[in-house]
Amino acid sequence: MLASLVSFFNPGLVIIAGGVAKLGHVLLAEIRSVVYRRSLPLATGNLPIVLSELGDTAGVIGATRLISDHVYSAN
């Protein structure tokens, strides 16, 4: 699924967070391998895939950011 999303959205960075990030660098290496192999070459040519530094709070911080962006938007 992640490889399909990378091919479709062509992100500049993929951050692995939450419970999956707790599995560490062994899982990260496998994720990188599959994404680089199954995604379009133009989407993965310079695509870093990293572990989050926020740990278990990544989801809460992301949700808070989305809410504050919505509340303080100019619309």
Side-chain angles (χ1 to χ4, degrees):
M1 178 56 87
L2 183 57
S4 296
L5 290 171
V6 165
S7 291
F8 185 76
F9 288 108
N10 192 17
L13 173 68
V14 173
I15 301 173
I16 306 298
V20 175
K22 289 182 182 178
L23 298 174
H25 292 283
V26 173
L27 181 64
L28 181 63
E30 187 62 27
I31 290 171
R32 284 179 179 149
S33 172
V34 171
V35 169
Y36 293 154
R37 189 173 62 246
R38 294 186 180 179
S39 297
L40 297 173
L42 289 175
T44 59
N46 192 20
L47 177 66
I49 301 175
V50 299
L51 292 174
S52 171
E53 296 178 357
L54 300 176
D56 291 337
T57 60
V60 173
I61 292 171
T64 304
R65 176 63 192 258
L66 286 172
I67 291 168
S68 68
D69 286 351
H70 178 72
V71 169
Y72 296 112
S73 68
N75 295 339

